[in-house]
Amino acid sequence: MNQQCKVCGEPAAGFHFGAFTCEGCKSFFGRSYNNLSSISECKNNGECIINKKNRTACKACRLRKCLLVGMSKSGSRYGRRSNWFKIHCLLQEQQQAQAAASQNGNQKVPALSPNSLNLMRHPSYSSNLFSRPPCSKEDLMMMRLDEYVKHPATASSPSISSPDSHNSDSSIEIGDKRNSILNKQNKLVPNTQQQPLSLNKDLFLPLPFAGFPLMPPPGFLPPPTHFLFSSYHNAFYEQNHHLLQHQVQQDLLKTSNMHLPFSSANLTSMKEEDDENEKEMIKEEHEEQMNKRSLSAATLLESQRKQLTITKIPKISDSSSLRDGKESEDEDIDMNENDEVLTPPRSPRSPRQQPQVENNPIDLSMKSGSSSKSDDINHNYFKVNTNHKSSSVSFLMNGNSDSDSNDQKTNNINRKEKIHCHDLKDGNNEKHFQINHGSVSAEEDDGYMNKGIFDDRSDEDEEYERELKRRKLHITTPLDLTTKV
Amino acid sequence: MNQQCKVCGEPAAGFHFGAFTCEGCKSFFGRSYNNLSSISECKNNGECIINKKNRTACKACRLRKCLLVGMSKSGSRYGRRSNWFKIHCLLQEQQQAQAAASQNGNQKVPALSPNSLNLMRHPSYSSNLFSRPPCSKEDLMMMRLDEYVKHPATASSPSISSPDSHNSDSSIEIGDKRNSILNKQNKLVPNTQQQPLSLNKDLFLPLPFAGFPLMPPPGFLPPPTHFLFSSYHNAFYEQNHHLLQHQVQQDLLKTSNMHLPFSSANLTSMKEEDDENEKEMIKEEHEEQMNKRSLSAATLLESQRKQLTITKIPKISDSSSLRDGKESEDEDIDMNENDEVLTPPRSPRSPRQQPQVENNPIDLSMKSGSSSKSDDINHNYFKVNTNHKSSSVSFLMNGNSDSDSNDQKTNNINRKEKIHCHDLKDGNNEKHFQINHGSVSAEEDDGYMNKGIFDDRSDEDEEYERELKRRKLHITTPLDLTTKV
DNA sequence: TAATCAGGTCACGAGGTCAC
DNA sequence: GTGACCTCGTGACCTGATTA
Ligand SMILES: [Zn+2]
Ligand SMILES: [Zn+2]
Ligand SMILES: [Zn+2]
Ligand SMILES: [Zn+2]
């Protein structure tokens, strides 16, 4: 994995306290979280843009950035990461690379097939990001974030990190004021609100998990087997929330297997739709956060624990239903129904044509199976470390590479095998990932559900928020990265 | 470490603001950086040569020298230095010592074997020096430096300090233009472009990290185990980028052990090839930086964790192949294949003929293993602090000693062990460094990437440059030492 | 067994101090 | 103003705990 620190942009040492961070930011957060008194107020009106070079200049802004990207003491996770998580990261990297490549105006960015993105959108993410009630530290942060959102300049919020992200991500954390500034200063930061999604949209997702508020870190992703891949991708999060949730829910109900429909065609269409609603989403995000609940997450979790998987994703014809009814969204998720029960509340984008989920599992153990149909055929290669019957993906966190090639990443894997993950095009004859062991899925399910993400907020968390406020560390952290993956 | 102050030549107290400096120059820079008004204009046309005796005579020239050697408030680095950095320093010292010894016309200078240098060249370094866009303070400085170059009188500028001071290194930092100038003025500075590498090349590396622009500080190196050593060397950075990366990648793929091929013969050949492309490289370095990734680092990390080590470094016969194909290199890495899979994206040089990786690891934990073949056999001793399974190198910055004996240095290390790092000469029977734990490699990978070195220029930096200009402190600082190692 | 991370350790260096 | 010395925040590295 070539993840970068979400706080300062330096190569990440791992996933710490809920976000990919470098050793420095990890230690800083660990030290500072419980010692706010040591953090002096920002001398720059709290608008410092954190990067690797200046990260030590303003502790207040550094800590704010940490919180903004979702770091939390309560979100830590131990132990080896699941293959899904790793795969997700790989895919994410691919996506980013391709997005960067496609920035030139090329529509072919299929590293992550559009279909998969559409189908895979993870409900828990969107719900966590937007549905959590504003009662804890994160909520407070969120509220502040909303303020930023209200300003057009906000477009460059962290969630929309620039492709170069090394530089831009640091800037992302700031509110609209800062964002506007950043935009001016940093050309790399795309203006989310004003640019059409399409390829440009990809630019928003260059950094894995960058732009947190909008795109939670992979660690929180759910992982119903097949889902994991696509769900972890930024594209999914940002644009396919509704789809993902909807899909996932239905799948869970059916307890059927899912495919990764990697067709770029669908993706493209989805993006366009998203573009239309881009601004609207931004406006609504705050409200969404307030209202979103983890009900869907809990439901998903349960189904996952039952070894489920993802089945088809029904098409959602009524966009209005998805976006409307903020109030109802919080509680109205009905897991029992296949339909739009899982639709994320207030999702700005309405899913339109849902690809049909198929029963072609993705075989991580190198098995090839039939795939689903897709418009485009793009082959994505993943290297998977296969040990005996179980396949594992080696997850290396070596900050060095900004590598564009996925291949390089795969090299890190032991006993790697090449897996073909391509857009679903050839119907049933294509290769695909397939997960054969249930143990992983079981584990993943827990992560997937992440229901506890926000439910577990402790009094300490809330108190911590208050303390942060007292210390003028107005941080808006949308996500609670506490969840394990 | 027997580093000397890059500004005045006095024994260095440490790495301050991006350069090895004494306490005095550190404090001076710290005081002066934010108080330019206190610095009066040079009365000697800005041509003062700074040394430990006259460093207080002209503040303007002292500050210029500071900037010239890469000092920057934004380039400061915190925290402990990585083992790789330390090792690099040790190797560098050896190399210098040997180079000095070999100056007598003896081809045997194997402190740092030529091969290792060729193979290890670090991409990030060169790219940093030359590829950075002229938009920041450093850029301005660079431009000014050029002006100096055009004037013969300028030769005596600090950057081109006299032979007695270790100043020569400071001069190195500049781009090709500057280098050419330096070459003319300073006999110690070899002309990379025009001279064959061979022994002369060694002269370029006399001071550790000296001549930054050309040879970035070790801190910035990546550190896949095996690589680390060689990669930190100046020679490597300057001329073996392509080789290093390519080599490393392959090694990782094979998960085989690596050697440090310290053969001067190979180095020589490599240098010649490099010379041909020197200018081109410089031009391309910028692009390289942008594209280089840690894929190889990740791979290395993994291999390291598996106890890997350095194998041999194959010779590269085709220089053209190494430098050509920038574009293709970026994306065409195939991890599945042992060949050029690991080639760093956009690496200016395309690896073509991959040397065969060998199983002679370098044992940092004092293990001795077989080494690769090399022409010369020189034993370099490093003391490594070994805790349990992990090994650490103690990095002592005691400006006092010019001690020639490595033993003194090693004494400072806790639980230190002596490691033999000698030129790869005896084939498989030589001693070598070997890294057994993966933790280190992971950390190092981050340092390796360090792509952000120049990316983070802040507005303040640029403003500072302007102020410097206003005050006629025409300093050209090519490197941004902010990066960590 | 291997991978991964929270925490702890302590090498380092930016800043500050103060005798010169 | 200088620079030896000190303080303490930083972050590279290690270790044990946790999960795959
Ligand atoms: Zn960081
Ligand atoms: Zn600040
Ligand atoms: Zn000095
Ligand atoms: Zn002067």
Side-chain angles (χ1 to χ4, degrees), chain A residues 40-50 57-62 64 173 178 473:
Chain A
S40 59
E41 188 174 352
C42 174
K43 295 171 183 173
N44 189 29
N45 193 28
E47 298 177 355
C48 303
I49 297 172
I50 305 300
C58 180
K59 294 169 75 173
C61 289
R62 189 182 192 184
R64 187 181 58 248
E173 73 221 9
R178 272 163 263 167
L473 293 171

Side-chain angles (χ1 to χ4, degrees), chain B residues 17 53 143 271 409:
Chain B
F17 301 107
K53 292 180 180 178
M143 298 176 84
K271 287 181 179 178
K409 298 172 185 175

Side-chain angles (χ1 to χ4, degrees), chain A residues 209-247:
Chain A
F209 316 120
F212 247 123
L214 296 179
M215 305 185 295
F220 299 85
L221 293 177
T225 20
H226 333 54
F227 265 92
L228 296 176
F229 300 100
S230 53
S231 64
Y232 282 150
H233 290 287
N234 293 325
F236 284 118
Y237 295 114
E238 291 182 355
Q239 300 178 351
N240 298 311
H241 296 182
H242 57 289
L243 292 175
L244 180 59
Q245 289 185 352
H246 192 68
Q247 177 69 40

Side-chain angles (χ1 to χ4, degrees), chain A residues 99-143:
Chain A
S102 65
Q103 280 186 339
N104 297 326
N106 179 1
Q107 288 291 323
K108 294 178 181 178
V109 186
L112 292 178
S113 68
N115 289 333
S116 65
L117 292 175
N118 290 328
L119 296 174
M120 297 305 191
R121 212 164 192 203
H122 188 71
S124 65
Y125 264 48
S126 58
S127 61
N128 289 329
L129 294 174
F130 306 107
S131 59
R132 184 159 45 85
C135 56
S136 64
K137 171 175 62 182
E138 285 78 4
D139 291 334
L140 292 174
M141 295 176 177
M142 296 283 285
M143 296 176 83

Side-chain angles (χ1 to χ4, degrees), chain A residues 291-293 295 326-334 345:
Chain A
N291 298 323
K292 300 292 176 63
R293 288 292 111 190
L295 293 178
K326 296 176 182 178
E327 302 77 4
S328 64
E329 291 177 356
D330 292 342
E331 301 85 9
D332 296 346
I333 298 168
D334 181 359

Side-chain angles (χ1 to χ4, degrees), chain B residues 177-440:
Chain B
K177 292 177 181 177
R178 273 165 250 159
N179 287 329
S180 63
I181 295 165
L182 292 172
N183 288 331
K184 294 176 182 177
Q185 296 174 347
N186 188 335
K187 353 171 162 47
L188 295 176
V189 178
N191 182 322
T192 305
Q193 297 175 348
Q194 298 173 354
Q195 296 177 351
L197 297 178
S198 74
L199 294 176
N200 292 332
K201 188 64 177 180
D202 293 342
L203 295 177
F204 293 104
L205 310 172
L207 293 178
F209 315 122
F212 248 126
L214 295 179
M215 304 186 291
F220 301 85
L221 294 177
T225 16
H226 336 49
F227 277 104
L228 295 176
F229 301 99
S230 53
S231 63
Y232 282 149
H233 290 285
N234 293 323
F236 284 118
Y237 294 115
E238 293 179 356
Q239 300 178 351
N240 297 313
H241 297 181
H242 56 290
L243 292 174
L244 180 58
Q245 289 184 351
H246 191 69
Q247 176 70 37
V248 172
Q249 292 175 353
Q250 287 183 346
D251 292 346
L252 292 175
L253 291 173
K254 293 178 180 178
T255 309
S256 61
N257 293 327
M258 245 182 121
H259 301 297
L260 283 178
F262 289 151
S263 69
S264 60
N266 290 337
L267 180 59
T268 301
S269 64
M270 290 298 291
K271 287 181 179 178
E272 292 175 355
E273 293 176 356
D274 290 340
D275 291 344
E276 294 175 354
N277 297 315
E278 188 67 14
K279 292 179 181 177
E280 181 179 0
M281 288 178 68
I282 293 167
K283 293 176 182 176
E284 295 174 353
E285 286 180 355
H286 176 61
E287 294 174 356
E288 289 181 85
Q289 289 180 357
M290 303 309 280
N291 298 324
K292 299 290 178 62
R293 285 304 108 184
S294 60
L295 292 180
S296 63
T299 305
L300 289 173
L301 177 59
E302 183 164 302
S303 61
Q304 288 177 351
R305 289 182 178 177
K306 293 181 177 178
Q307 204 66 342
L308 80 54
T309 56
I310 297 165
T311 60
K312 294 178 181 178
I313 298 167
K315 294 177 182 178
I316 296 168
S317 61
D318 182 7
S319 64
S320 65
S321 64
L322 294 173
R323 297 195 183 157
D324 297 346
K326 298 174 181 177
E327 301 78 2
S328 63
E329 291 177 357
D330 294 344
E331 301 86 8
D332 296 345
I333 297 166
D334 180 358
M335 296 305 283
N336 294 329
E337 302 304 329
N338 292 334
D339 297 340
E340 298 172 357
V341 172
L342 294 175
T343 302
R346 308 202 79 203
S347 174
R349 298 110 186 187
S350 61
R352 289 298 174 273
Q353 301 173 354
Q354 295 301 319
Q356 292 300 314
V357 176
E358 296 175 357
N359 296 326
N360 297 324
I362 294 168
D363 184 0
L364 292 174
S365 60
M366 283 307 293
K367 292 179 180 178
S368 64
S370 63
S371 64
S372 62
K373 57 257 185 171
S374 65
D375 296 336
D376 296 348
I377 300 170
N378 288 285
H379 297 271
N380 297 320
Y381 299 92
F382 297 92
K383 301 221 173 154
V384 176
N385 177 6
T386 303
N387 295 324
H388 303 290
K389 39 197 164 186
S390 66
S391 63
S392 64
V393 177
S394 175
F395 183 54
L396 299 178
M397 189 57 57
N398 28 353
N400 302 335
S401 63
D402 287 341
S403 65
D404 299 341
S405 66
N406 293 317
D407 294 343
Q408 293 176 351
K409 298 172 185 175
T410 57
N411 290 333
N412 296 323
I413 300 166
N414 297 331
R415 307 184 217 109
K416 60 210 71 136
E417 293 177 2
K418 183 179 288 183
I419 296 171
H420 299 275
C421 178
H422 49 284
D423 295 343
L424 299 178
K425 178 180 178 181
D426 296 341
N428 297 328
N429 296 328
E430 295 178 2
K431 296 173 184 178
H432 57 279
F433 287 93
Q434 179 177 350
I435 295 169
N436 297 325
H437 22 273
S439 65
V440 172

Side-chain angles (χ1 to χ4, degrees), chain A residues 187-303:
Chain A
K187 1 177 157 43
L188 296 177
V189 177
N191 184 322
T192 305
Q193 295 177 350
Q194 297 175 354
Q195 295 176 351
L197 297 179
S198 71
L199 294 178
N200 292 331
K201 187 66 175 179
D202 292 341
L203 295 176
F204 293 106
L205 308 173
L207 293 179
F209 316 120
F212 247 123
L214 296 179
M215 305 185 295
F220 299 85
L221 293 177
T225 20
H226 333 54
F227 265 92
L228 296 176
F229 300 100
S230 53
S231 64
Y232 282 150
H233 290 287
N234 293 325
F236 284 118
Y237 295 114
E238 291 182 355
Q239 300 178 351
N240 298 311
H241 296 182
H242 57 289
L243 292 175
L244 180 59
Q245 289 185 352
H246 192 68
Q247 177 69 40
V248 173
Q249 292 174 353
Q250 288 182 346
D251 291 347
L252 292 173
L253 291 172
K254 293 179 180 178
T255 310
S256 62
N257 292 328
M258 231 180 133
H259 300 298
L260 285 178
F262 288 150
S263 69
S264 61
N266 290 335
L267 180 58
T268 301
S269 64
M270 290 299 290
K271 286 181 179 178
E272 291 175 354
E273 293 176 357
D274 290 341
D275 291 344
E276 295 175 354
N277 297 315
E278 187 68 13
K279 292 178 180 178
E280 181 180 359
M281 288 179 68
I282 294 168
K283 293 177 181 177
E284 294 175 355
E285 287 178 355
H286 175 62
E287 294 173 358
E288 287 183 86
Q289 290 178 359
M290 304 307 276
N291 298 323
K292 300 292 176 63
R293 288 292 111 190
S294 62
L295 293 178
S296 62
T299 304
L300 290 173
L301 177 60
E302 183 165 305
S303 59

